Every structure is written in structure tokens, then in C-alpha cells.
């Protein structure tokens, strides 16, 4: 999409704020109030710069154009505290009272890049966090009476803050008791072993906490800030920005291995088939990586490193080489390490790309073959596309190939696009994908910060599939997915099946913050970081002095369907409604306090392919008739009701026998339901502990969608 206003905006930012940022970088940061008893995490100069950048962008160039004032400051404070301690298990009431002095100060502080307040709050949180874990570990071996009629409140979100350390300790002692009961009910271990397992669990939590750095803290602060403005203006620190862009492109440059940290050692969990590690035959699942070096240079010991820091060392541009010291799987850690050298490549994440399968459904005695295309996101490798690579990765290109196979090889009678849990992605891909099912025409309207409306159209003549088409959606279907589903519905091109979608109807533009800053400022920041590293004697860890500022996805517009209705708040209403697994009152744009409202604009000039209103009425009648006699439907409705009831619970019994009885009862009921459903499908009953084969698994929502599509085929809509 070509946002002319956005391009003008960037030019103005570059001209206006370069000098201001350069001057501000020379300012002395405000001293941070020290919290005794823990290593205090402190902000740095580049985070101060980013904070100021974000204030400028939000106030002047976001769709809302919100003034960062005392009211916003108050909301940020509440959101930040909630993010740190959502269930009120760490902070004391006295801490919260102390933080009240900051309620109207964050707006002025952020404007000048002063992060001392939120970092101080985090350090207080860190102190409380470690104190509670220390207390918990000290009382794991206490004698507990598991026959008492006491309870543990696990959700204290709506309760008052605890007023004393003694009261907080009581909460944690009950938590310890609850976790010991869980270990006891799991069976097969002694009391000593249970205590050892729980101690290791808390020790691991402390270890992970000790590895937090100022980038982690800054991310939480900025999440609270941007989330107060609107739910989809997001800041990504450099590591998160890299991960976000990899997800959007569905590709990474590296060795092709999934890594995990186990007891402070980097372990290969899985080797990606076809990747450089796989082709080299030098690395295997279970191997442990203890040191990393580039093609030239010394090895760096990475034992004890954070997972993201270690992974960043191993990743790198395609064509470059990385050397690894590994302890092969099955060998003791004291064994002599093996050195391997691997050339990095571009790896396409096929497991996270569009996929197809073909299923046959019988209706009125006749079989129908229906192709199901599952699309997890609207992705595109923009970098490869800009570079002119002919086979760059994108949703539309992948789906086009799948449609060709379904049409020419599988000879399907209909196609269903499964967009459940598809949170969106590239708007351009949503437009292009729509173009596979309609001839030419407008797909989406976008209103910018000036109130001007741009109509984005499919300009490519012809369609990839003109047969019966359905789109399966749920509450987690959002953004670009809603544009696609809405266009299909408006054009009468297919039937939308599922639940009301998320309602995310805003446009975000990713902005690389490095591009808004004069290179001399970045050089100065790098010099400061280098001096700080030398002064503290810290060993440099992958890019400590590499000044990357991260990325902000700034809300700059709103989506509107071609019929003029915004997808904001309301989302897309299905033609055939199915039950929702997701709680509609907790998930969705209309549950977000800072969300933009629904509105509408003038209808765009489009010509519908067909009027499906009469067919939708008939399909609904046939669907409702099936539901009246469907055991799957009745059990699903009951499961959803039970889930809602459980979601209202905030406490659990600490009487072992009572808890066991409750869980046994739930397990018996669950097994009874499973076997009732298996009986309707002609499958043998299963017993407790039996594993259900993959081929015996059943997706009721998908199955009903196939039946709707069979009805749709037989009703023969005119297109």
C-alpha cells in the first residue's frame, strides 16, 4: 500500500527531530532511586532516545493523535503495575501507595526520555519477587496438613493489595502447599522428591529472573505506554523486532535448528529438514552447544547465556559461516567438545505456512470432495520481494499453488479457507489473496490520519477458483483476515462460517526507529555504550554496543469494508454461526478500553458476484436442523458453559482428598463424553490414560463446515 501521507510524515520527522535528538543525547540522565538488596536494572541512553521518539510519533502522527498528559500518565501507571503483578502476589499495599506519587509524572518524564520512575518500580517488583520465592523455597519442607479445609486464592486480581509481609507470606505458603498437593496427586514420587522438584522449579524461576536486562524492562514499560494509546500500536525492542519480521516473512537466515535452554545449556531440540544443519549431518537433536564463533575470531563460551542472546550469535546473513563447539547427544558434559562449521542459509518456515488437505463428505447419498486450505497468517517476505527474488515467500503465492493442485489434481468440488486463529499480517496479501476469488474490483478502504480515504483494489483480471467457496473463522480471526472474509462476504463470493471475528480494524505501519535518527547520534550512543562496558568490566554479550533502537508499529489508519462498514469493534459476522471456544466477553477488540470505535464510510464502487441472501437462509435452516440432533453440538455447548463457570473461579481447595475427588469426577465425566462421541463415529471406547490416535481425532467445527459446503454445492448458487 502506498501511503503518501505516511511518506510525507517521515520526511517531516527526519527534518524536525534529528537535531533535537542529537542535543538531547548529551543530557545527563536523572539518577535512579536505588532499591536495596538486589542488583538494580538501569535504563540506558538509547532507551531514553526511543522513549522520546515514541512520544513524538504518537502525539503527532498516530491515527488517534493523543496528547500525552496527566490522564494518560495515570492510565500508563495502572497498566504497568498490572503487567508486572496481575494477580497481586508480589507488591504490598505500601508499595502501591508509594507509587501514587508518580501517577501524573510519567507524561512529563517520557517526553524528555526520563525512565527512572518505571525502572524504580520494576526494581521494587524484582525485590518483592525474589523475597517471595526465597520465602517459598524456605518453607517447602514444612509439615503440611493436607486434610485441612483451607483454600488457596490463585486469582487475586480484583482483591485489595496485601497490607503486610506476613499476609503475603501466607499467600505463598498456601501456594507451596497447593503445588505440593499437585505433585502428590501426580503420584509415583516420595515427599522428598516432591520437595526437590518444587525447589528446582522455584530456583529456575529465580535464575530466569536474574537474566532479565534493561531491554526486557523497557519492553514492558513501552507495552504499557503504547497499549494505553491503542491496543495495536506496539514497540518492539531489537530482538522482538527481528522475531516479528521473521514471522512476517516466514523465513530466517541461520543454521536451521530449534534451540532451547536446559539447565543453562543451549540444546538442539529439533533440526529443520532441508536446512544447513540437516544437510551437514553434523548436528542432531539433543546435541548441546557450549561455545560459538564466527568464521574468523575466537570462541565465546555461551553456557549460562540467555536463550535469545545465544540464538542471535548463531543466526546471521546467508552465506556466512558459524563455528560451534558441541557436546554430542549421549556424551557427558565433561567430554571433549566437537567443533563443527556450518554455512548459514535462508530457511523457509514451511510448518508455519499455508497447507492443504482434502476431505470427502457424504450428503444425500452423494460424496463431495472438499479442499481445506489452512492459512495461519498473511505473511510476505518483503525483503526478498524488494530484492527481486523470483520465488519469494507469500501467502497469496502459496495459496495459489495449493488451489491449482486442488483444482487440477484433487478435482475438489469446493474449497474452504480456514482462517481460525489467523491474527492477520500483511494488508497487501489480504488484497492479493482476495483477488484469487474475484475478478477486478475494490477490496478494502483505508482512512488515514487526515480523514482521507484510499480504496485499494485487486487489479489482476481473472480468478484462481470460481467454484463453491467457504471461509471458516473464529474470535481469533483478526485484521487482514477480517478484510479478506469481509470482502468475500460483500461480493457474495462465498459463505462465512464460524463466530464473530475479533474486530481489529486498524492499520499499522512498521517504522525502523534507527532510520529516524541522525547517524552521528547512533555513533555517539555506541561510544557511550562502549565506555560503559569498559568502565564496568562487563564482558560484551552479542551486540551490547551495537546500537539498534527497535521498531514501532504505529496505528496510522482504519480499515473499512467495500460496503462502507468498519471492521473495527464489530468484526465480521458469520453467515452460519458456530459456537465459540473463546470467551467473547474477554477476547476481542470490543473488550479493549483504548480501542477505536466502530464507524462507517461511503460504500465503494463494487459489483457483487452473486446475491447469496436466499441461499444463506436455506443453509442456516439446514445447519440448525443438524444441530438439534447433534450430540457433538450439545456437548460442545455444555463444555463452553462449564468453561465459563470455571473462569469465574478464583480459589481452589487445599484438602487433598476433596481436590482429588473433584478432579476424578471431572476426568470421569470427560471420559464419558469422549466415549459417547466415539460411539457415534463407530469407534471403540477408550480407557483412562489411553492415547487417541491422530486419525481418530475429530474437529466438530470443521466437520460442520464441510456439511454446510455440501449443502451449498447442492443449492447451486448462481455466480
Amino acid at each position: 500500500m502506498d501511503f503518501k501521507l505516511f511518506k510525507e510524515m517521515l520526511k517531516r520527522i527526519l527534518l524536525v527531530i534529528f537535531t533535537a535528538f542529537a542535543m538531547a543525547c548529551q543530557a545527563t540522565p536523572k539518577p535512579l532511586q536505588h532499591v536495596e538488596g538486589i542488583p538494580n536494572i538501569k535504563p540506558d541512553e538509547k532507551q531514553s532516545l526511543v522513549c522520546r521518539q515514541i512520544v513524538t510519533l504518537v502525539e503527532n502522527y498516530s491515527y488517534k493523535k493523543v496528547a500525552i498528559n496527566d490522564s494518560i500518565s495515570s492510565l500508563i501507571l495502572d497498566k504497568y503495575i498490572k503487567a508486572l503483578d496481575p494477580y497481586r502476589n508480589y507488591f504490598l499495599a505500601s508499595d502501591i501507595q508509594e507509587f501514587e506519587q508518580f501517577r501524573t509524572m510519567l507524561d512529563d518524564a517520557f517526553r524528555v526520555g526520563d525512565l527512572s520512575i518505571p525502572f524504580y518500580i520494576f526494581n521494587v517488583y524484582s525485590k518483592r519477587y525474589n523475597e517471595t520465592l526465597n520465602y517459598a523455597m524456605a518453607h517447602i519442607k514444612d509439615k503440611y496438613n493436607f486434610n485441612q479445609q483451607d483454600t488457596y486464592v490463585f486469582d487475586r486480581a480484583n482483591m485489595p493489595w496485601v497490607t503486610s509481609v506476613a499476609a503475603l507470606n501466607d499467600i505463598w505458603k498456601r501456594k507451596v502447599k497447593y503445588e505440593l498437593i499437585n505433585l502428590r496427586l501426580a503420584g509415583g514420587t516420595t515427599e522428598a522428591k516432591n520437595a526437590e522438584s518444587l525447589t528446582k522449579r522455584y530456583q529456575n524461576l529465580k535464575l530466569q529472573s536474574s537474566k532479565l536486562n534493561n531491554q526486557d524492562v523497557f519492553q514492558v514499560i513501552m507495552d504499557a505506554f503504547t497499549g494505553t494509546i491503542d491496543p495495536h500500536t506496539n514497540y518492539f525492542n531489537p530482538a522482538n523486532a527481528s522475531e516479528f519480521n521473521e514471522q512476517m516473512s516466514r523465513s530466517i537466515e541461520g543454521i536451521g535448528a530449534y534451540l532451547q535452554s536446559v539447565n543453562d545449556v543451549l540444546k538442539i531440540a529439533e533440526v529443520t529438514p532441508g536446512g544447513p544443519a540437516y544437510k551437514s549431518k553434523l548436528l542432531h537433536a539433543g546435541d548441546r552447544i557450549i561455545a560459538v564463533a564466527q568464521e574468523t575470531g575466537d570462541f565465546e563460551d555461551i553456557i549460562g547465556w540467555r536463550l535469545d542472546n545465544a540464538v542471535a550469535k548463531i543466526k546471521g546473513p546467508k552465506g556466512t559461516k558459524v563455528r560451534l563447539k558441541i557436546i554430542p547427544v549421549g556424551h557427558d558434559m565433561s567430554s571433549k567438545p566437537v567443533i563443527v562449521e556450518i554455512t548459514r542459509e535462508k530457511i523457509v518456515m514451511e510448518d508455519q505456512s499455508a497447507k492443504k488437505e482434502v476431505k470427502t463428505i457424504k450428503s444425500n447419498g452423494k460424496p463431495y470432495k472438499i479442499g481445506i486450505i489452512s492459512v495461519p497468517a498473511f505473511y510476505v517476505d518483503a525483503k526478498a520481494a524488494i530484492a527481486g527474488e523470483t520465488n519469494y515467500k507469500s501467502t497469496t503465492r502459496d495459496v495459489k499453488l495449493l488451489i491449482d493442485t486442488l483444482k487440477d489434481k484433487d478435482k475438489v468440488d469446493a474449497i474452504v479457507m480456514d482462517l481460525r486463529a489467523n491474527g492477520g499480517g500483511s494488508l497487501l496479501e489480504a488484497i492479493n489473496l482476495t483477488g484469487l476469488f474475484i475478478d477486478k474490483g475494490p477490496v478494502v478502504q483505508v482512512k488515514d490520519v487526515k480523514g482521507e480515504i484510499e480504496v485499494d483494489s485487486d487489479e489482476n483480471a481473472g480468478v484462481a477458483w470460481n467454484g463453491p467457496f467457504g471461509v471458516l473463522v473464529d474470535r481469533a480471526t483478526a485484521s487482514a483476515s477480517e478484510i479478506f472474509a469481509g470482502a468475500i462476504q460483500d461480493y457474495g463470493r462465498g459463505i462465512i462460517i464460524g463466530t464473530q471475528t475479533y474486530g481489529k480494524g486498524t492499520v499499522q505501519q512498521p517504522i525502523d526507529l534507527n532510520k529516524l535518527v541522525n547517524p552521528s547520534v547512533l555513533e555517539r550512543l555506541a561510544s557511550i555504550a562502549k565506555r560503559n562496558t569498559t568502565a564496568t568490566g562487563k564482558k560484551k554479550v552479542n551486540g551490547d554496543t551495537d546500537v539498534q533502537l527497535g521498531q514501532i508499529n504505529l496505528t496510522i489508519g482504519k480499515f473499512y469494508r467495500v460496503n462502507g462498514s468498519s471492521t473495527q469493534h464489530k468484526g465480521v459476522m458469520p453467515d452460519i454461526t458456530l459456537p465459540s471456544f473463546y470467551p467473547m466477553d474477554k477476547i476481542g477488540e470490543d473488550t479493549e478500553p483504548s480501542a477505536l470505535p466502530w464507524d462507517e464510510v461511503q460504500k465503494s464502487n463494487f459489483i457483487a458476484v452473486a446475491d447469496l441472501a436466499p441461499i444463506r437462509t436455506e443453509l442456516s435452516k439446514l445447519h440448525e436442523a443438524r444441530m438439534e440432533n447433534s450430540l457433538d453440538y450439545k456437548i460442545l455447548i455444555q463444555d463452553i458453559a462449564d468453561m465459563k463457570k470455571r473462569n469465574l473461579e478464583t480459589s481452589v481447595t487445599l484438602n487433598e482428598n476433596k481436590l482429588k475427588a473433584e478432579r476424578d469426577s471431572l476426568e470421569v465425566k470427560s471420559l464419558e463424553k469422549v466415549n459417547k462421541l466415539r460411539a457415534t463415529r463407530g469407534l471403540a471406547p477408550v480407557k483412562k490414560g489411553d492415547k487417541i490416535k491422530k486419525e481418530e481425532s475429530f474437529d466438530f467445527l470443521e466437520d460442520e463446515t464441510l456439511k454446510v459446503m455440501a449443502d451449498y454445492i447442492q443449492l447451486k448458487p448462481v455466480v
Side-chain angles (χ1 to χ4, degrees), residues 642-675:
D642 291 343
M643 181 178 65
K644 286 181 179 179
K645 185 178 178 182
R646 286 195 298 273
N647 285 340
L648 295 174
E649 295 174 356
T650 58
S651 64
V652 63
T653 180
L654 291 178
N655 181 287
E656 182 178 0
N657 291 330
K658 187 176 179 181
L659 185 61
K660 183 177 185 303
E662 289 176 359
R663 291 182 177 175
D664 286 347
S665 175
L666 288 172
E667 197 171 72
V668 168
K669 289 179 181 178
S670 177
L671 191 60
E672 286 176 352
K673 285 188 291 188
V674 167
N675 284 327

Side-chain angles (χ1 to χ4, degrees), residues 408-702:
D408 301 330
K409 182 181 176 182
D410 299 314
K411 308 292 184 183
V412 297
D413 299 297
I415 290 178
V416 169
M417 189 78 72
D418 189 344
L419 296 182
R420 286 177 294 177
N422 184 319
S426 168
L427 176 60
L428 182 59
E429 282 304 302
I431 295 166
N432 291 339
L433 189 66
T434 304
L436 298 182
F437 300 93
I438 66 169
D439 203 351
K440 291 184 177 182
V443 174
V444 62
Q445 304 182 82
V446 181
K447 184 194 289 186
D448 64 23
V449 294
K450 282 186 174 180
E452 296 176 355
I453 295 173
E454 174 184 301
V455 179
D456 293 306
S457 303
D458 165 43
E459 303 291 350
N460 300 313
V463 297
W465 175 256
N466 61 4
F469 184 53
V471 183
L472 179 56
V473 298
D474 64 11
R475 187 62 163 173
T477 301
S479 194
S481 296
E482 295 174 288
I483 293 303
F484 175 81
I488 294 299
Q489 189 176 59
D490 292 342
Y491 272 90
R493 182 57 195 88
I495 297 296
I496 312 302
I497 306 162
T499 62
Q500 180 184 6
T501 59
Y502 191 90
K504 191 262 183 186
T506 53
V507 187
Q508 282 71 46
Q509 175 68 41
I511 304 171
D512 181 349
L513 295 178
N514 278 57
K515 293 182 179 179
L516 302 186
V517 181
N518 192 303
S520 65
V521 176
L522 296 178
E523 290 173 10
R524 187 177 295 110
L525 288 173
S527 177
I528 292 170
K530 187 176 181 180
R531 287 201 306 270
N532 289 343
T533 300
T534 303
T536 58
K538 284 174 58 181
K539 182 179 178 181
K540 180 183 173 185
V541 177
N542 73 293
D544 279 349
T545 58
D546 177 22
V547 179
Q548 293 296 319
L549 303 180
Q551 169 181 313
I552 184 171
N553 286 6
L554 187 70
T555 298
I556 61 168
K558 277 181 80 173
F559 290 134
Y560 296 85
R561 292 165 61 159
V562 292
N563 68 3
S565 174
S566 172
T567 55
Q568 179 66 9
H569 259 260
K570 292 188 177 182
V572 176
M573 298 300 296
D575 301 313
I576 306 297
T577 302
L578 298 176
S580 174
F581 283 112
Y582 298 98
M584 303 291 281
D585 60 338
K586 292 185 178 180
I587 296 175
E589 192 79 359
D590 54 5
T591 68
E592 296 283 354
S594 60
L596 287 162
W598 177 88
D599 64 342
E600 54 188 340
V601 297
Q602 188 175 349
K603 175 182 174 181
S604 63
N605 186 23
F606 78 101
I607 301 173
V609 175
D611 179 9
L612 297 183
I615 289 175
R616 283 197 291 265
T617 301
E618 291 302 313
L619 290 175
S620 293
K621 289 178 181 177
L622 292 168
H623 161 68
E624 289 166 6
R626 274 193 299 273
M627 294 306 95
E628 286 182 7
N629 301 306
S630 169
L631 181 62
D632 285 279
Y633 178 78
K634 291 172 183 175
I635 287 178
L636 178 56
I637 293 298
Q638 185 59 54
D639 285 345
I640 291 171
D642 291 343
M643 181 178 65
K644 286 181 179 179
K645 185 178 178 182
R646 286 195 298 273
N647 285 340
L648 295 174
E649 295 174 356
T650 58
S651 64
V652 63
T653 180
L654 291 178
N655 181 287
E656 182 178 0
N657 291 330
K658 187 176 179 181
L659 185 61
K660 183 177 185 303
E662 289 176 359
R663 291 182 177 175
D664 286 347
S665 175
L666 288 172
E667 197 171 72
V668 168
K669 289 179 181 178
S670 177
L671 191 60
E672 286 176 352
K673 285 188 291 188
V674 167
N675 284 327
K676 280 182 181 179
L677 293 172
R678 288 176 66 85
T680 64
R681 290 187 269 280
L683 298 172
V686 293
K687 300 186 297 294
K688 179 181 176 181
D690 286 352
K691 288 186 177 179
I692 296 176
K693 298 175 184 177
K694 186 178 180 181
E695 59 269 23
E696 293 179 348
S697 60
F698 185 74
D699 184 341
F700 166 68
L701 301 181
E702 180 188 274

